[in-house]
Amino acid sequence: TGIKKNIDDYNLTGAGVTVGIIDDGFSYQHLNMNFSRINYNTNVYGEISTNGTHGDYTSAIIGANNDNFKGAVSDCNMYFANSSPYYTKSIEWLVDKGCNVINASIRMGYGGVNVYDGFGKWLDSVSQRANVTIVISSGNSGENSLCGSAMAYNPIVVGTCNNNGVMNSCSSYVNESDKAYKPDIAAQGDGAVSYTVNENTGLFRRCSAGETSSAAPLVTSAVAQLCQYSSLLMNNPLLVKSALLN
């Protein structure tokens, strides 16, 4: 994605861009140490956890900012939405907060596989209605295993590859001639690094989970850089997607 080059050459750190993230939750320790710039009362939707979460890992890749570690776009404004109990309410909350891009490194949908279901159609309508770029991980179950959200057309669906651009065998993809090809793009999820907080010691711990949960935040960060670079892309998800894919 050239994220580091964009930071070094153009100072694209996400300033002025609003990023939303929907995930399984976020912990107090993580928000305190990685996101001291945010306000619990206005920037977090849903219950905050006392234990480390998947959301801690993915959000730190995007926007963590502390003395030990900086996320890819550490100057962006961020909103955090717990996916439980309803994905739709969480996403609508992020939309209401004016997010330019929303990251979802979780499975969402109605249970079907490789089916453009009602949830995928709803995501397409949200992206178009709210002019928000939605980035979704394809999943980690290999061939023909995409959930409904990952079959949507307007969001950017992300697979994972290694540093040589070779797709990871676990990365979910569609291989059916009568279906839209997914994922749309791949990023280097393998070896991606994040720093979360150990709930027992209160100290940072280095995490390298890889897979599509890491790849999607990298693409979300690239989208934030594009939005910072050109205000024309702030509220134009289809143009953003076209720019990334071409």
Side-chain angles (χ1 to χ4, degrees), residues 9-47:
D9 293 354
Y10 305 106
N11 195 34
L12 296 179
T13 58
V17 180
T18 301
V19 177
I21 183 165
I22 176 173
D23 216 298
D24 67 349
F26 310 92
S27 70
Y28 281 107
Q29 296 96 325
H30 168 70
L31 294 173
N32 280 331
M33 296 181 69
N34 271 328
F35 294 95
S36 59
R37 66 187 185 275
I38 68 104
N39 184 318
Y40 289 158
N41 295 321
T42 59
N43 290 54
V44 182
Y45 177 81
E47 185 177 350

Side-chain angles (χ1 to χ4, degrees), residues 135-183:
V135 178
I136 301 172
S137 61
S138 69
N140 306 304
S141 301
E143 183 179 8
N144 293 331
S145 58
L146 271 73
C147 61
S149 60
M151 293 300 292
Y153 289 92
N154 292 344
I156 301 168
V157 180
V158 184
T160 183
C161 62
N162 63 23
N163 59 1
N164 294 316
V166 177
M167 291 292 289
N168 188 314
S169 60
C170 78
S171 189
S172 296
Y173 67 98
V174 174
N175 186 23
E176 296 183 25
S177 60
D178 61 336
K179 302 288 177 66
Y181 182 79
K182 296 288 181 175

